[in-house]
Amino acid sequence: MSANLVKVLIMFKKGSNQQPDSNMLSTTPITMQRYSNFILFSLLFCLFSLKSQAQLDRLDTEFMLEDLRKLSHDAAEGRRTGTNGAEAARRFIIKQMENMRLKSLQDDFRHPFSFTTSRGDTIQGENIVGYIKGEQQTAFVITAHFDHLGVRDGVVYNGADDNASGVAALLALAEYFQSYKPRHTLVFAALDAEEMGLQGAKAFVNDPSIPQEMIKLNINMDMISMNDKNELYVAGTHHYPQLKPIIQEVNVLPLQLKFGHDSPDLGNDDWTNSSDHGPFHKKGIPFLYFGVEDHEHYHKPTDDFENVNKDFYIKAVHAILDCILALDAALN
C-alpha cells in the first residue's frame, strides 16, 4: 500500500478539519469509490496470490529436492540392480518410510525377488513397499523405480531424472497422505530393476503377499523433473478412457498436462510398456503414467541433480498430487 493511500485512509478514518471546496464535492465520492475498489482489488489479489502459492506449497519441496539430490549422488553409484549402490538407495528409502510411519506388508518393507538375464545370469532385486490404509479396501499403487544404470567405464550414471525424481516424489506424496488420509488405500512401491526389463514391476504384480484383486489403479512416475516447455505427459487414457474426464477436470496451471504416447499406432512413441506400468496393464489393471519426453540427458552421465529443472519438478509433483486427489474422490 502506498504512503499516499495510507494518508488518505487515515484522513477519512479520523476526519479532516478542512472543508472541501465546491470543486472537490463532485469528485470526492468518485475518489473514495476508486480507493475502495483499489483496496478491494489489492486484498483479492493478495488472497489469490497466497492461494496460488499454497497450491505449490502443500508438499515439503525442500524435503523432496533433498531426497532427489541424495538418491542421485555419486555415493549411490548409479543404483544399478544388484550393487552396493542399489542397497544404499534401498536403505535410504526404507528409513524415510519408517520415519513417516508407513505400514509394511513385510517386517522391513523389503520384497526380494530374482530373475535371469538373457545371458543366463541370476540377479537378485528387491522392491520397497509401504502403504497407508484408506477408508476403502481397494488400493491405488503408486510406483517409481529407484534403480539406474550404475557405473560405466568409470563414469557414474546418477539418474537424477531417471528416476530419482520419481522416487523423491513418491516419498513426498506418502508424507502428504499420512497427514491427509485418502479414501482408497495407497500403496507406495519403490521398484527395482526397471532398467533390466521392468523386473521389479513384474515381481510386484506376481507377489503373493499383495492382494492383486484389490488394486484399482497404478500411478507410475518415471522421469518427471527435466522439461523446459512446462509439459508433463500422462499416458494411459487411450486404454482406459474412463480416467480421462477425471484428469481433464484437474487444474494444473501453469503446467501443461498433455495426453498421449499411449496408442499402438505410434510405434516407438507408444509408452504403454515403456516403464513399470506395463506389467500392471498386462494384468488388466488400469494405469496412468506421468513422465516427460526424452531429453539430452536421458541415459547420459549428465543426468545429474544440477540439471534438474527444479521449478518444473515442483509443479509436476503437485500436478500429480492433484490428479491422485481427483481420482481418489471420483473412483469407487
Side-chain angles (χ1 to χ4, degrees):
M1 188 179 296
S2 70
N4 289 335
L5 180 55
V6 172
K7 291 179 181 178
V8 170
L9 291 175
I10 292 172
M11 181 181 74
F12 282 125
K13 183 177 180 181
K14 294 182 177 179
S16 174
N17 293 327
Q18 297 179 354
Q19 296 297 320
D21 58 28
S22 58
N23 290 329
M24 286 183 65
L25 287 174
S26 61
T27 61
T28 298
I30 297 174
T31 302
M32 291 183 69
Q33 182 62 48
R34 284 175 178 168
Y35 282 130
S36 298
N37 291 341
F38 177 78
I39 294 167
L40 178 60
F41 175 79
S42 298
L43 289 171
L44 290 173
F45 178 79
C46 290
L47 287 172
F48 177 79
S49 298
L50 287 171
K51 183 178 180 181
S52 298
Q53 179 63 32
Q55 294 301 299
L56 294 177
D57 207 27
R58 289 166 294 163
L59 300 172
D60 189 337
T61 54
E62 289 186 15
F63 169 94
M64 184 172 70
L65 287 169
E66 182 63 9
D67 281 356
L68 196 165
R69 185 189 70 81
K70 289 178 178 177
L71 285 165
S72 59
H73 193 276
D74 282 354
E77 299 175 343
R79 309 184 306 277
R80 183 174 176 83
T81 301
T83 66
N84 291 334
E87 175 58 20
R90 278 193 292 268
R91 289 198 301 266
F92 177 80
I93 296 165
I94 290 170
K95 185 65 176 176
Q96 299 294 60
M97 288 187 173
E98 287 175 343
N99 289 341
M100 289 184 281
R101 298 184 178 180
L102 296 193
K103 296 182 181 295
S104 176
L105 295 167
Q106 309 282 18
D107 290 339
D108 56 0
F109 299 95
R110 294 175 182 263
H111 291 247
F113 62 93
S114 63
F115 61 96
T116 303
T117 68
S118 58
R119 298 169 54 182
D121 299 325
T122 299
I123 305 292
Q124 301 295 323
E126 213 164 42
N127 295 329
I128 306 302
V129 182
Y131 72 97
I132 296 171
K133 187 171 176 56
E135 299 171 6
Q136 301 183 8
Q137 292 297 317
T138 51
F140 294 175
V141 178
I142 302 171
T143 54
H145 76 89
F146 66 84
D147 65 297
H148 194 53
L149 303 179
V151 181
R152 296 181 172 182
D153 298 323
V155 178
V156 180
Y157 286 66
N158 283 315
D161 190 37
D162 186 12
N163 184 37
S165 66
V167 178
L170 181 145
L171 294 171
L173 291 168
E175 183 187 42
Y176 175 89
F177 282 107
Q178 272 292 53
S179 298
Y180 301 94
K181 296 298 182 184
R183 287 179 62 235
H184 295 81
T185 294
L186 297 183
V187 179
F188 297 90
L191 301 178
D192 199 356
E194 189 270 355
E195 301 285 4
M196 294 185 174
L198 318 183
Q199 301 297 336
K202 291 175 183 177
F204 183 94
V205 298
N206 291 297
D207 190 330
S209 70
I210 298 170
Q212 306 296 322
E213 68 279 3
M214 305 307 294
I215 300 176
K216 186 82 174 178
L217 177 68
N218 170 230
I219 297 166
N220 186 37
M221 300 176 290
D222 190 354
M223 296 174 56
I224 57 173
S225 69
M226 289 188 186
N227 182 272
D228 295 326
K229 299 178 182 178
N230 240 16
E231 294 177 348
L232 179 69
Y233 272 88
V234 54
T237 60
H238 173 84
H239 302 284
Y240 306 100
Q242 72 274 17
L243 301 176
K244 190 169 185 178
I246 301 171
I247 302 301
Q248 284 179 317
E249 290 298 315
V250 178
N251 181 5
V252 299
L253 293 174
L255 196 76
Q256 299 177 61
L257 191 60
K258 306 192 76 171
F259 295 88
H261 287 296
D262 54 5
S263 175
D265 63 310
L266 295 175
N268 290 334
D269 282 334
D270 178 12
W271 296 348
T272 300
N273 295 299
S274 66
S275 184
D276 286 324
H277 52 276
F280 288 87
H281 174 58
K282 288 182 178 179
K283 288 281 188 179
I285 299 170
F287 76 88
L288 290 174
Y289 164 46
F290 293 91
V292 299
E293 292 184 319
D294 289 354
H295 46 71
E296 61 180 324
H297 305 295
Y298 172 65
H299 279 197
K300 299 288 195 305
T302 54
D303 186 2
D304 291 325
F305 178 75
E306 290 73 22
N307 289 322
V308 164
N309 185 329
K310 297 173 181 61
D311 289 339
F312 171 79
Y313 180 51
I314 289 169
K315 288 184 286 189
V317 184
H318 278 90
I320 295 168
L321 168 62
D322 283 329
C323 290
I324 294 172
L325 290 168
L327 292 159
D328 188 42
L331 296 178
N332 294 317

